Amino acid sequence: MLRVVVESAAGLPKKKLGNPDPITTIVFKDEKNKTKFIDRETNPVWNEVLEFDLKGVALDSSSFIDVIVKDYETIGKDKFLGAAKVYLKELATGQLKSLPSKNLPLLGEKGQSTGAIINLVIGYEPPATGIPNPNAHADGDPAAGDTGDGGEEGDEDYTDGGHGDAPGSVPSPGQPGKQLQKRIGKGRNRQRTLANKPQDFQIRVRVIEGRQFPGNNIKPVVKVNVCGQTHRTRIRRGNNPFFDEIFFYNVNMMPSDLFDEDISIRVYDSYSLRADSLMGEFKLHVGYVYDEPGHAIMRKWILLSDPDDSSSGARGYLKVSMFVVGTGDEPPVEKREQNEEEDDLESNLLLPAGVTLRWVTFVLKVFRAEDIPQMDDAFVQSVKEIFGADSDKKNLVDPFLEVSFAGKKICTKILEKNANPEWNQLINLQVKFPSMCERIKLSIFDWDRLTRNDAIGTTFLNLTKIASSGGEIEDAHERYGPSPTSEANTGDSEVGFLPAFGPCYINLYGSPREFTGLPDPYDELNFGQGEGVAYRGRVLVELSTLLDGKADKKVEDIPRDDILVAQKYQRRRKYSLCAVFHTANMIQDTGEPIQFEVSIGNYGNKFDSTCKPLASTTQYTCAVFDGNFYYYLPWANKKPVVIITSYWEDVSHRLDSVNLMLCVIERLESNITTLKTALQAKVSETRLAELWLKLVNQFIDDLTSFNVPDLEGKPNLTSLDMQIRKLRTSTIERIRDSARRMKEEATDVKATLVDIEDWLERLKELAEEPQNSIPDVIIWMLRGEKRVAFARVPAHTILYSTYDDQASGKYSGKTQTVFMQYPMDKNKGLKIPVVLRVNMWLGLSAHEKKFNNFSDGTFSVFAEMYENQALVFGNWGTTGLVGRHKFSDVTGKIKLKRESFMPPQGWEWEGDWFVDPEKNLLSEADAGHTEFTDEVYQNETRFPGGEWKQAEMAFTDVNGEKALGLNEIECPSGWQWEDQWTCDTNRAVDEKGWEYGITIPPDDKPKSWVSAEKMYHIHRRRRMIRPRKKVSGAHVPVERKDVVDREGWEYSSLIGWKFHSKLRSTDTFRRRRWRRKMAPSDRLGASAIFKLEGALGIEEEDKSSKKETATSLFGANTPTVSCSFDKSYIYHLRVYVYQARNLLAMDKDSFSDPYAHVSFLHLSKTSEIIKATLNPTWDQTLIFNDVEIYGDPQTISHNPPYVVLELYDADQVGKDEAMGRSMCPPLVKLNPGMDISPKLLWYPVKHKGKIAGEVLVAAELILKNTGDETDLPIVPPKRAEQLYMVPQGIRPVVQLTAIEILTWGLRNMKTYQLAAISSPSLIIQCGGETVQSAVIKNLKRNPNFPGSVLFLKVLLPKEEMYTPPIVIKVIDHRPFGRKPVVGQCTIDSLEEFRCDPYVTKAEVAMSSKVALMSAPRDVIIDIEDRRPLLEAQVGRIWWMFEL
């Protein structure tokens, strides 16, 4: 029973009209009890006892009660006066029987002090036989009561955590060993009720996940030993592996003996062959688990330590559950945490004896935030105005920052209506260190009085990036002996440091910034769940760590001196960004015209009105069919350009180091890939040694010449900058020394790869920069006005640097391929919205003249507007324009005037306005197609029950808009009709093709159609179609040369996006584009475009209307910039698609029918379909004859576009399913006579972010000489019409190979689809050939095959790296002709089974004899461990074979 005596309160706030009528509510675990209300009293006295029946469940140490005081209202809702929270930890642990809470402060809704207090006394009577609560925290847990609001800090006398006094004792979290012994002693008293005779027990240990395992490139495995029995988990990869495996140990022992046994949990690095592969250990007695509530430890974290040196600190953490179940015991149900991030991990941690954790205080200074987006509706502000409150519609957000770490949450104050809040508050987080929690979570919320607080954005401070124990570089050289200098290390060379950060801005990312009153579909992104798609603001923070002392307050104000010091870290410099869009292809969804927007922070966001309008968007363009499968944007020789100027802190000294390290990493990765390919191809030892020596020498040279930029005199310098520089310098020196010793001592090339990859992982960790305050560049694809897809480009990859050429970003001033993605894509990139080729350059405005060295083509700048006219009574004019202006922007929504345009400062007009039609917006439905079907709908109407007659609009399109009649539609030039007009009956229509509908006012057209005629139907229509075909042969999509109107008009039947160049009788609207060129007045070169900041000005007299001036902020008046190329180059592309292996099974028969769409820039082709295989051999050459590419061929040679292969499974019914995507860079030949042949290589196929097979492919891109086709390679031989094979010299050399398989029997076959396996047989497939064994009639009676020999003849490549795998399937012959695949195994390497038929007979006989005498090989068809093609069916096949 829990009793709460509510005594009195004092200092309650008064109402506007008199004193309040206070009433107190006590809330405990969703149960509420209330006192009586006191009339008109600010100092009420209740003296009431409120009781809570605990129903036999004991309090746990995290229990608390909420105290809420309100003003009682007879009519309406009670008004809030104050609240408090009281933790019951001291009552739960039995330290006190009653808890007086005197002068308890009452807090307001925002957590502020109200000045009121309340007096309580809380009493607790523990139940005599309490029901155990296995999911509660351990008793005596010092941190169990710690929540975001505060709570009491326990164990402050034990600064360094717990210590064990007895050998083998295991303190609970932070609990001294003596107290644990007392508790175990009490538990032993309870155990005496068990009979002291052998009994049956089951011990269950569930290994869930690990965190912070030490080392790089590790493969951890967990071994659990209980009572002499050992189990091990599967081998995982990485420092934070997920296991989720449970082990059972059945024992029959006396309880007194069992409870003294140890549960030993050890973690090993399976990758290491050395004796030091043990990474950490944890031990505890079985009795400790049995003494826990429910005889279980539920989802607890255990700290792993070095068994030989317990003082060495944490060696990682492991999450486990342990149960000890006796006869008749009911094991508790394990509940998974809903939010692991918010779980109080520190209070859930078990420490081994002798390991200490120290209390530290993280001091987080939160200075300010900026660029917070609108979160509240302006309607709420209007309501506030009605009730007399202040309103500020420019800052519709009430932000506060929440800091979360290890289950603790602390919030700053709330600043209402402030998009750039200055909190200037200091947050103290007291935690145990080192902590198993790796990240401090920073979330900015918008406070709402009536609804839940909305998340604005979330970011994290990763402790592993802003702290160093110093041990991560110690093992870099162990394998090749100690470093000559390592033993002489002094204190000055130590590289470990405590967590530190800033002062520095951290950027927030989340959902798009545009505010709507509707629920945000991407709200999860604002909580840090997934990749943010838009910039949401930034926050300036500083973190430091204090080892000694305890903070008096959790939140306090920052001293004024510290605020002044932070000012120097906010100095801004101007940056210039230019992006030239070269191509946009592989578009699958067509519709409205497409536009691209580039932004960095708020700058460039066309829907954001807080920054100056910039030329940050491309012109709208309609997509064109590429003739095969995809669509592309026909930019031809005029590439759209976007220009953005922005202001950020100068952090070049940080990003220079990152880019320098990334250069070293990129070269090392490339050399490792080359070396692995050589190993796979089994090249000669001499060649292998040459490649290895080249790798090591290049790596040593890179590290020797690597010079970390000096930080002396750099702006924005922090203590973390100094520590990271020291860490990088020390680590690079050690790795370099280790590489030099490897060069001298190594003997086995393959054995060195482990260390080389380990160096690569270390360098990648060092290359991450935590203090990068420049936001990512975000590219958005807009269809109409809707955001469709995005891509984030890290700023450092395109940043120009004057420090060193290699200090510039990898793609600074270079063209890169960008694969855009859908926001919160559940299919994880299975479908690509668009692939861009874009050239980007970012640099300080002080260095913008350097851009001239990178620019390619000629930049031109224009102002543009559209003249609109409508057809009224046969005359074109402006009187019929509904919702449009005489002169407008391209959308037609924003009014413009020719005489109002003024060029930006530093620019002047060059020439007068002229008409220049925009061909990219003229949407011809047949563009790019070689075959096309014209359609028109014939319409009829009637009165209900009457005769059908021709409708007023006899012919319309699918949307009901007026169209030409059948006899009026002419065949376009270059096309020919293939048939007459026919009715399309392959739809939901009646036998004559009609579908019927009824109109519902105010609509004048039916919304839906049905195929059966009813009496009430008054409309019907049918679809008439007529196919046509291009006269000329294969169509190669190049720039469209549309014949435009002489006056530049483009026409449409209705106001919208679909315009065409020729006037039709149904057209009622037309427009034409006017342009005027601008030129820089004071500078030359491409860098002049960076002066285009701001919109094209509008004269003051046009600014009288707020509505009109607001439109200029949406980028409508910004100038359009394009980059023109005078010359294009014609290339010849050949893609050699030979085969694929281990693809996904998409069909029910566990096979697929794969084919590939091969795309290169704006062209694509499709391979043939290979039926029923997962290892298809296409042996096909795809020839792209004339590929038009703009730009310098040397640039294309160094950075060619990728050939993209998208694999699909062909289905007769339904849509083809995507199987994955792969990319291959082509070999570029600028001289067709170059005697270099591309080499077929395996490239991974990715499906939803995971490897889903490999494809063997090569490509070559050949620059064609003008009018000369003789230099091109010989056309490959044909296998069929328009189907070319891979030519000799590129294709693998194959030989006829015999595969002999001895199949003996099946064992341990599990049920499939709830039915036992009864009549199985084997299907064996290799290289397109298949053989099937005889059927076992009855598996139970005789599990052996009737015949044991299977024989295959197949053409296999001589080189092992090209050999296809052998796939073995077990099928079960069931009634009604069903033959499900019940198990499968894939054998990737056939090398060990090969034998040479030309060796001497004696050797053959001996090898056969040895093979027969040797034990048979077992192949376990385990779907989880092997290639996952079906749901788990496990069995064994006894077999052997030879090639």
Side-chain angles (χ1 to χ4, degrees):
M1 182 70 70
L2 182 68
R3 293 184 176 87
V4 181
V5 181
V6 184
E7 295 181 342
S8 61
L12 296 179
K14 293 183 179 182
K15 297 195 299 183
K16 292 183 178 179
L17 301 174
N19 292 333
D21 305 325
I23 182 173
T24 299
T25 304
I26 306 295
V27 183
F28 176 73
K29 292 185 177 179
D30 298 328
E31 185 179 347
K32 297 181 181 180
N33 279 335
K34 296 183 180 181
T35 66
K36 298 177 181 178
F37 69 90
I38 308 296
D39 281 332
R40 300 178 183 177
E41 182 61 62
T42 58
N43 300 296
V45 177
W46 291 281
N47 285 327
E48 290 190 40
V49 180
L50 306 179
E51 295 185 346
F52 296 86
D53 186 2
L54 302 182
K55 299 177 182 178
V57 179
L59 285 178
D60 59 60
S61 54
S62 62
S63 299
F64 61 88
I65 62 170
D66 282 313
V67 183
I68 305 170
V69 182
K70 293 186 177 181
D71 176 20
Y72 177 76
E73 297 289 344
T74 306
I75 300 175
K77 193 176 180 181
D78 296 346
K79 294 181 180 178
F80 181 85
L81 296 177
K85 183 174 287 189
V86 182
Y87 291 88
L88 310 178
K89 181 174 64 176
E90 295 179 356
L91 294 177
T93 56
Q95 299 176 18
L96 297 173
K97 290 190 176 181
S98 66
L99 181 64
S101 298
K102 303 295 183 182
N103 299 327
L104 189 67
L106 295 174
L107 304 179
E109 287 181 310
K110 302 178 184 178
Q112 79 279 12
S113 176
T114 61
I117 60 171
I118 191 169
N119 298 308
L120 308 170
V121 177
I122 307 169
Y124 171 56
E125 294 179 9
T129 55
I131 300 173
N133 183 2
N135 292 304
H137 294 294
D139 294 343
D141 193 333
D146 253 33
T147 64
D149 307 280
E152 301 171 23
E153 298 285 352
D155 271 354
E156 30 185 277
D157 295 333
Y158 302 98
T159 308
D160 290 327
H163 57 278
D165 292 347
S169 66
V170 184
S172 62
Q175 194 75 8
K178 291 182 180 178
Q179 293 188 21
L180 179 65
Q181 287 178 354
K182 292 178 183 178
R183 182 181 170 194
I184 292 179
K186 292 179 182 178
R188 290 296 169 88
N189 291 332
R190 292 198 300 269
Q191 292 168 10
R192 288 172 187 167
T193 58
L194 294 172
N196 196 18
K197 63 180 182 179
Q199 300 181 35
D200 288 326
F201 289 93
Q202 185 180 75
I203 302 163
R204 304 178 186 177
V205 179
R206 182 183 178 195
V207 181
I208 303 173
E209 63 176 306
R211 283 193 191 175
Q212 299 182 26
F213 288 169
N216 292 294
N217 199 25
I218 60 173
K219 291 185 177 179
V221 60
V222 180
K223 291 186 179 180
V224 182
N225 181 278
V226 181
C227 300
Q229 304 176 43
T230 301
H231 290 87
R232 59 173 285 272
T233 65
R234 292 183 177 90
I235 296 173
R236 301 301 184 192
R237 181 186 290 273
N239 300 80
N240 301 291
F242 186 79
F243 299 100
D244 199 17
E245 298 183 43
I246 188 168
F247 305 126
F248 298 87
Y249 302 85
N250 297 311
V251 295
N252 183 276
M253 297 177 65
M254 294 175 61
S256 58
D257 295 336
L258 175 63
F259 296 153
D260 287 332
E261 290 284 341
D262 283 337
I263 298 176
S264 172
I265 301 176
R266 289 188 164 203
V267 180
Y268 292 86
D269 180 10
S270 65
Y271 210 58
S272 175
L273 302 177
R274 296 171 289 180
D276 61 348
S277 59
L278 177 62
M279 300 167 66
E281 181 187 39
F282 181 88
K283 283 186 179 181
L284 80 167
H285 294 317
V286 176
Y288 178 77
V289 180
Y290 193 81
D291 288 340
E292 290 293 301
H295 310 313
I297 290 176
M298 307 288 284
R299 302 183 73 87
K300 294 279 188 181
W301 288 96
I302 59 175
L303 184 145
L304 303 172
S305 62
D306 187 345
D308 299 326
D309 183 11
S310 60
S311 63
S312 62
R315 300 283 295 169
Y317 302 87
L318 197 66
K319 192 177 204 178
V320 297
S321 293
M322 291 181 264
F323 310 83
V324 179
V325 183
T327 304
D329 287 346
E330 202 55 50
V333 178
E334 198 170 356
K335 294 182 180 179
R336 185 173 182 176
E337 295 91 336
Q338 293 183 351
N339 192 340
E340 303 264 349
E341 291 284 347
E342 298 181 1
D343 187 31
D344 190 351
L345 300 175
E346 289 187 354
S347 64
N348 216 21
L349 179 66
L350 297 179
L351 300 179
V355 174
T356 60
L357 294 181
R358 182 168 187 167
W359 286 99
V360 301
T361 302
F362 288 154
V363 181
L364 184 70
K365 296 177 182 176
V366 183
F367 295 99
R368 64 190 311 271
E370 61 185 27
D371 302 336
I372 305 296
Q374 175 186 344
M375 298 297 294
D376 296 330
D377 198 330
F379 173 76
V380 178
Q381 297 297 323
S382 302
V383 173
K384 290 182 179 180
E385 287 180 346
I386 294 173
F387 289 97
D390 295 333
S391 175
D392 182 3
K393 295 185 180 181
K394 295 181 180 179
N395 294 290
L396 295 173
V397 62
D398 309 316
F400 68 92
L401 183 127
E402 178 186 271
V403 182
S404 305
F405 184 76
K408 301 179 176 66
K409 292 182 181 178
I410 303 177
C411 300
T412 66
K413 60 187 177 184
I414 299 168
L415 296 180
E416 295 188 38
K417 292 177 290 185
N418 197 336
N420 298 281
E422 294 188 11
W423 292 291
N424 291 326
Q425 287 192 307
L426 186 147
I427 293 176
N428 294 304
L429 273 171
Q430 191 159 19
V431 298
K432 289 179 180 178
F433 193 78
S435 174
M436 65 167 296
C437 301
E438 294 185 342
R439 304 188 300 179
I440 300 175
K441 183 179 178 181
L442 306 178
S443 301
I444 296 183
F445 287 89
D446 170 46
W447 174 74
D448 284 323
R449 182 183 297 272
L450 302 178
T451 59
R452 70 177 182 88
N453 298 330
D454 300 317
I456 297 172
T458 300
T459 187
F460 298 91
L461 282 177
N462 196 325
L463 296 184
T464 60
K465 308 301 178 190
I466 61 175
S468 171
S469 65
E472 54 264 35
I473 66 170
E474 295 299 325
D475 300 328
H477 56 277
E478 277 188 2
R479 184 168 298 202
Y480 295 97
S483 169
T485 59
S486 61
E487 296 180 5
N489 283 345
T490 64
D492 295 336
S493 62
E494 290 296 325
V495 293
F497 55 93
L498 289 168
F501 183 88
C504 182
Y505 276 102
I506 310 178
N507 300 304
L508 304 172
Y509 300 95
S511 62
R513 292 178 60 89
E514 293 79 55
F515 173 77
T516 61
L518 302 174
D520 187 354
Y522 309 122
D523 187 48
E524 291 180 18
L525 300 177
N526 299 331
F527 290 92
Q529 302 171 13
E531 182 183 6
V533 301
Y535 170 79
R536 303 277 294 177
R538 56 210 301 247
V539 57
L540 180 64
V541 297
E542 179 184 5
L543 177 72
S544 57
T545 305
L546 300 180
L547 288 177
D548 301 318
K550 180 180 177 182
D552 296 328
K553 297 180 180 179
K554 292 185 178 294
V555 181
E556 53 187 301
D557 291 335
I558 299 177
R560 184 165 182 80
D561 291 345
D562 291 351
I563 298 175
L564 294 175
V565 169
Q567 292 290 327
K568 71 174 185 177
Y569 292 95
Q570 302 179 51
R571 178 181 174 238
R572 308 293 176 89
R573 297 193 66 183
K574 186 177 180 181
Y575 283 83
S576 300
L577 169 65
C578 174
V580 181
F581 289 80
H582 286 262
T583 61
N585 53 283
M586 291 187 69
I587 302 170
Q588 297 185 45
D589 296 327
T590 58
E592 295 183 81
I594 293 171
Q595 181 184 51
F596 293 96
E597 175 200 87
V598 180
S599 62
I600 177 169
N602 275 8
Y603 303 96
N605 188 329
K606 65 180 287 186
F607 299 114
D608 193 286
S609 59
T610 61
C611 298
K612 288 183 179 180
L614 299 165
S616 61
T617 55
T618 65
Q619 295 81 37
Y620 281 103
T621 309
C622 289
V624 175
F625 189 58
D626 70 357
N628 180 61
F629 184 71
Y630 303 103
Y631 289 78
Y632 72 100
L633 299 186
W635 286 325
N637 66 323
K638 291 185 179 180
K639 312 296 184 184
V641 179
V642 300
I643 308 297
I644 298 174
T645 53
S646 56
Y647 297 85
W648 310 106
E649 299 77 28
D650 184 5
V651 292
S652 57
H653 57 282
R654 298 170 188 161
L655 302 186
D656 287 350
S657 298
V658 171
N659 287 329
L660 286 170
M661 296 196 71
L662 289 176
C663 281
V664 177
I665 290 169
E666 184 182 3
R667 276 193 291 268
L668 181 59
E669 279 183 323
S670 175
N671 289 331
I672 288 175
T673 303
T674 304
L675 186 62
K676 284 184 174 180
T677 304
L679 282 168
Q680 191 179 11
K682 292 183 168 50
V683 301
S684 65
E685 293 290 334
T686 305
R687 176 59 180 159
L688 195 63
E690 289 177 2
L691 292 174
W692 179 84
L693 199 59
K694 176 187 174 184
L695 181 151
V696 176
N697 286 334
Q698 176 77 60
F699 188 53
I700 293 173
D701 291 343
D702 285 344
L703 295 184
T704 304
S705 61
F706 184 85
N707 184 20
V708 181
D710 192 9
L711 300 180
E712 198 68 36
K714 295 292 183 180
N716 304 320
L717 200 61
T718 66
S719 61
L720 182 59
D721 288 328
M722 307 294 292
Q723 297 289 359
I724 288 180
R725 185 182 188 280
K726 192 175 178 181
L727 177 64
R728 286 172 176 164
T729 304
S730 179
T731 306
I732 287 172
E733 288 177 356
R734 288 173 181 266
I735 294 178
R736 183 189 60 210
D737 294 342
S738 183
R740 286 172 176 168
R741 285 191 299 280
M742 175 187 282
K743 180 181 176 182
E744 297 170 0
E745 302 172 12
T747 56
D748 185 1
V749 171
K750 194 171 183 179
T752 62
L753 268 177
V754 176
D755 289 277
I756 295 173
E757 289 180 337
D758 184 53
W759 298 336
L760 180 64
E761 292 298 321
R762 292 172 189 270
L763 290 177
K764 284 183 177 179
E765 290 179 3
L766 288 177
E768 296 185 30
E769 176 54 60
Q771 297 183 127
N772 181 10
S773 60
I774 302 181
D776 291 348
V777 176
I778 298 180
I779 305 174
W780 271 103
M781 171 184 173
L782 291 87
R783 183 172 281 118
E785 295 293 310
K786 182 182 178 183
R787 297 190 182 275
V788 176
F790 79 103
R792 278 174 57 176
V793 180
H796 70 84
T797 61
I798 58 173
L799 183 65
Y800 172 76
S801 173
T802 57
Y803 177 77
D804 188 279
D805 288 342
Q806 294 183 352
S808 294
K810 177 181 179 181
Y811 298 110
S812 177
K814 299 175 183 176
T815 305
Q816 62 174 310
T817 302
V818 177
F819 289 83
M820 301 193 75
Q821 56 184 321
Y822 295 106
M824 287 183 65
D825 187 7
K826 295 181 180 178
N827 292 321
K828 298 180 180 177
L830 193 60
K831 182 179 179 182
I832 299 179
V834 65
V835 178
L836 294 175
R837 288 276 291 173
V838 59
N839 187 317
M840 306 178 78
W841 185 92
L842 174 67
L844 287 168
S845 290
H847 305 148
E848 63 186 23
K849 289 186 178 179
K850 300 290 184 181
F851 175 71
N852 295 333
N853 301 329
F854 295 93
S855 61
D856 195 7
T858 305
F859 288 88
S860 54
V861 182
F862 289 90
E864 72 172 35
M865 62 181 177
Y866 280 81
E867 181 184 1
N868 305 303
Q869 289 187 357
L871 183 65
V872 179
F873 301 116
N875 297 318
W876 292 99
T878 59
T879 54
L881 291 172
V882 180
R884 293 259 175 164
H885 305 281
K886 180 179 179 181
F887 287 95
S888 69
D889 69 324
V890 66
T891 66
K893 299 176 182 178
I894 299 174
K895 181 179 180 180
L896 300 176
K897 289 184 178 181
R898 181 188 303 187
E899 58 273 11
S900 302
F901 279 87
M902 292 165 40
Q905 187 176 1
W907 287 76
E908 58 187 22
W909 297 119
E910 185 179 278
D912 204 352
W913 291 93
F914 63 96
V915 175
D916 184 14
E918 174 55 270
K919 300 177 184 178
N920 290 337
L921 279 177
L922 303 181
S923 61
E924 299 292 346
D926 59 3
H929 292 267
T930 56
E931 296 180 352
F932 191 76
T933 300
D934 285 304
E935 70 169 14
V936 66
Y937 284 81
Q938 182 181 356
N939 296 271
E940 292 186 353
T941 60
R942 70 175 181 182
F943 292 106
E947 294 292 328
W948 290 105
K949 297 180 181 179
Q950 181 173 300
E952 182 180 353
M953 284 194 296
F955 296 96
T956 63
D957 62 8
V958 66
N959 297 316
E961 303 297 335
K962 187 176 180 181
L964 296 174
L966 299 181
N967 297 327
E968 297 175 346
I969 298 177
E970 298 178 357
C971 185
S973 59
W975 295 78
Q976 64 181 13
W977 293 117
E978 294 235 298
D979 199 354
Q980 297 299 319
W981 287 101
T982 57
C983 177
D984 182 11
T985 57
N986 192 23
R987 302 168 60 242
V989 293
D990 63 12
E991 59 184 355
K992 293 184 179 180
W994 293 104
E995 54 185 351
Y996 302 86
I998 186 172
T999 57
I1000 300 176
D1003 298 327
D1004 58 350
K1005 303 169 190 172
K1007 288 286 186 181
S1008 60
W1009 302 87
V1010 296
S1011 56
E1013 180 183 2
K1014 304 293 183 184
M1015 288 293 294
Y1016 52 78
H1017 284 142
I1018 58 174
H1019 289 273
R1020 74 174 183 177
R1021 70 176 185 177
R1022 62 179 174 180
R1023 182 174 182 251
M1024 306 299 294
I1025 57 174
R1026 189 175 188 182
R1028 53 185 164 97
K1029 188 175 183 179
K1030 260 195 174 296
V1031 176
S1032 56
H1035 171 68
V1036 178
V1038 293
E1039 178 191 2
R1040 290 188 318 204
K1041 296 178 172 59
D1042 294 300
V1043 179
V1044 298
D1045 186 272
R1046 290 183 179 180
E1047 297 182 359
W1049 294 103
E1050 51 196 58
Y1051 301 89
S1052 176
S1053 58
L1054 69 160
I1055 297 177
W1057 281 111
K1058 296 183 178 180
F1059 288 88
H1060 42 266
S1061 56
K1062 291 184 179 180
L1063 177 63
R1064 301 172 184 171
S1065 60
T1066 57
D1067 292 333
T1068 59
F1069 179 78
R1070 71 177 183 177
R1071 70 178 187 181
R1072 59 180 174 180
R1073 183 175 69 169
W1074 289 85
R1075 305 184 85 189
R1076 190 175 187 183
K1077 190 172 183 180
M1078 293 187 294
S1081 56
D1082 58 350
R1083 61 174 60 204
L1084 299 174
S1087 62
I1089 57 177
F1090 293 123
K1091 293 298 181 184
L1092 288 172
E1093 187 175 16
L1096 293 167
I1098 297 179
E1099 294 177 357
E1100 289 298 324
E1101 58 266 27
D1102 292 329
K1103 291 190 176 183
S1104 56
S1105 169
K1106 287 186 178 180
K1107 187 174 180 180
E1108 288 188 9
T1109 57
T1111 59
S1112 65
L1113 300 176
F1114 283 79
N1117 301 355
T1118 55
T1120 61
V1121 188
S1122 59
C1123 182
S1124 303
F1125 290 87
D1126 298 331
K1127 183 180 179 182
S1128 66
Y1129 295 87
I1130 305 299
Y1131 294 82
H1132 179 86
L1133 174 69
R1134 292 191 181 183
V1135 182
Y1136 307 105
V1137 185
Y1138 189 73
Q1139 68 182 24
R1141 64 187 181 190
N1142 303 325
L1143 299 179
L1144 292 177
M1146 309 301 289
D1147 298 334
K1148 291 183 179 180
D1149 61 357
S1150 81
F1151 287 110
S1152 295
D1153 306 320
Y1155 68 94
H1157 288 303
V1158 181
S1159 174
F1160 183 78
L1161 297 181
H1162 59 282
L1163 300 171
S1164 69
K1165 288 184 180 292
T1166 303
S1167 72
E1168 66 173 332
I1169 299 172
I1170 308 296
K1171 295 288 186 181
T1173 180
L1174 301 180
N1175 304 285
T1177 300
W1178 288 287
D1179 188 13
Q1180 187 173 351
T1181 299
L1182 300 174
I1183 300 176
F1184 299 79
N1185 279 315
D1186 295 308
V1187 184
E1188 187 178 25
I1189 304 178
Y1190 295 88
D1192 184 14
Q1194 290 294 338
T1195 304
I1196 300 296
S1197 175
H1198 290 106
N1199 186 20
Y1202 282 105
V1203 174
V1204 181
L1205 294 88
E1206 289 201 314
L1207 302 180
Y1208 284 84
D1209 169 43
D1211 289 326
Q1212 292 183 350
V1213 179
K1215 193 175 181 180
D1216 293 353
E1217 299 173 278
M1219 301 175 64
R1221 181 182 308 109
S1222 186
M1223 295 184 296
C1224 165
L1227 172 68
V1228 181
K1229 295 182 180 179
L1230 300 184
N1231 180 7
M1234 290 175 63
D1235 189 18
I1236 301 176
S1237 296
K1239 186 175 178 62
L1240 288 169
L1241 292 174
W1242 289 104
Y1243 293 93
V1245 176
K1246 296 232 176 139
H1247 181 270
K1248 294 186 178 181
K1250 297 180 179 178
I1251 301 296
E1254 293 176 299
V1255 61
L1256 187 62
V1257 67
E1260 57 181 337
L1261 184 65
I1262 305 167
L1263 179 63
K1264 294 175 66 173
N1265 294 328
T1266 307
D1268 189 2
E1269 301 281 344
T1270 58
D1271 289 341
L1272 296 178
I1274 299 173
V1275 176
K1278 286 186 177 181
R1279 188 167 68 247
E1281 185 65 27
Q1282 297 298 321
L1283 203 152
Y1284 298 93
M1285 300 172 62
V1286 176
Q1288 296 291 337
I1290 297 176
R1291 63 184 297 127
V1293 178
V1294 296
Q1295 61 183 3
L1296 186 62
T1297 307
I1299 303 177
E1300 185 181 36
I1301 302 143
L1302 303 181
T1303 58
W1304 293 334
L1306 292 170
R1307 303 291 187 272
N1308 303 331
M1309 295 299 295
K1310 293 188 176 180
T1311 59
Y1312 178 75
Q1313 293 178 347
L1314 303 179
I1317 310 302
S1318 58
S1319 302
S1321 67
L1322 283 185
I1323 293 179
I1324 298 174
Q1325 187 183 62
C1326 182
E1329 300 293 331
T1330 303
V1331 65
Q1332 185 170 351
S1333 73
V1335 180
I1336 299 176
K1337 296 298 183 182
N1338 191 317
L1339 186 66
K1340 288 184 178 180
R1341 292 181 181 177
N1342 183 11
N1344 298 328
F1345 290 103
S1348 60
V1349 179
L1350 297 177
F1351 194 77
L1352 270 175
K1353 282 186 178 180
V1354 61
L1355 288 171
L1356 291 183
K1358 286 185 176 182
E1359 294 186 62
E1360 176 66 21
M1361 70 175 292
Y1362 297 141
T1363 305
I1366 289 181
V1367 178
I1368 302 173
K1369 295 177 183 285
V1370 182
I1371 64 172
D1372 190 22
H1373 298 258
R1374 295 187 173 181
F1376 306 103
R1378 294 188 302 125
K1379 298 179 181 179
V1381 177
V1382 297
Q1384 181 167 317
C1385 174
T1386 301
I1387 303 166
D1388 291 322
S1389 177
L1390 308 184
E1391 185 65 22
E1392 60 179 309
F1393 305 106
R1394 286 185 182 271
C1395 63
D1396 191 347
Y1398 299 105
V1399 296
T1400 60
K1401 295 181 180 179
E1403 291 178 352
V1404 172
M1406 181 57 68
S1407 63
S1408 301
K1409 185 176 180 180
V1410 171
L1412 290 172
M1413 292 175 63
S1414 62
R1417 295 183 175 96
D1418 291 349
V1419 176
I1420 300 177
I1421 305 176
D1422 189 333
I1423 298 308
E1424 187 172 359
D1425 284 344
R1426 291 276 183 167
R1427 302 287 178 186
L1429 295 174
L1430 292 173
E1431 295 184 358
Q1433 290 296 307
V1434 183
R1436 288 190 178 183
I1437 308 171
W1438 296 79
W1439 62 284
M1440 62 181 293
F1441 69 88
E1442 60 183 9
L1443 301 180

